[in-house]
Amino acid sequence: MILSFELPFALIPLLKFSSTTTKMGPHKNSMIIIVFSWVVGLGIIGINIYYLSTSFVNWLIHSSLPKVANVFIGIIVFPVMGIYVISVLYLMLRKDVVVTFAEPTKFDPTTQVSMERGENGADRAVELSNAPYREDLADIQFP
């Protein structure tokens, strides 16, 4: 039941991340994959929300607690379920405006190779020469 509660908070950002040009650039999913994955994802999320709500209502109906306790539990839990649904909707409808995809320099093979290796060219040498010496890390044994 806990995994059903947490699934939308992992699935929705993943779907949004892989479906947007601002994060993936030209590597984003195709429109067919986007539509298919959102339909499947929303179906799974809908099933999980239905499961969570029906299992809680079923527990309330068949509980051996006094009716007053069931009423107080319902007063507490139903608004929390509403907040949960609203937060899932917020995740789905939130606009992502920060562009994190950096277009690589085209038609320059040396820049492409250094970028794939994680090097910054001339900046890399300056970066390594200014690295501080840390005595606490100097004597660590390598595995």
Side-chain angles (χ1 to χ4, degrees):
M1 186 178 252
I2 297 296
L3 293 176
S4 296
F5 180 75
E6 296 172 351
L7 180 70
F9 298 104
L11 186 61
I12 292 172
L14 177 67
L15 291 174
K16 287 184 75 165
F17 184 85
S18 64
S19 301
T20 181
T21 307
T22 59
K23 300 292 182 197
M24 297 295 291
H27 307 292
K28 77 171 193 161
N29 290 335
S30 67
M31 189 54 72
I32 295 169
I33 299 294
I34 291 171
V35 169
F36 180 74
S37 62
W38 274 100
V39 167
V40 170
L42 290 177
I44 292 170
I45 290 169
I47 290 169
N48 283 334
I49 289 175
Y50 174 77
Y51 169 70
L52 286 171
S53 60
T54 56
S55 62
F56 176 70
V57 170
N58 195 16
W59 177 80
L60 264 182
I61 291 171
H62 300 297
S63 174
S64 62
L65 295 173
K67 290 191 187 255
V68 175
N70 282 343
V71 169
F72 282 122
I73 290 172
I75 288 172
I76 293 170
V77 172
F78 283 118
V80 171
M81 290 172 79
I83 291 170
Y84 172 73
V85 170
I86 289 170
S87 64
V88 168
L89 289 173
Y90 169 75
L91 271 177
M92 286 182 358
L93 301 175
R94 185 176 74 124
K95 286 289 184 188
D96 199 15
V97 295
V98 178
V99 178
T100 58
F101 179 75
E103 184 69 36
T105 307
K106 294 183 179 182
F107 308 118
D108 188 7
T110 57
T111 305
Q112 182 70 24
V113 169
S114 67
M115 187 171 65
E116 289 174 359
R117 291 182 182 164
E119 300 170 352
N120 290 342
D123 296 336
R124 182 81 170 155
V126 173
E127 186 178 306
L128 289 177
S129 67
N130 293 335
Y133 178 76
R134 292 186 52 184
E135 292 183 22
D136 58 334
L137 299 177
D139 297 329
I140 292 178
Q141 295 290 326
F142 290 117

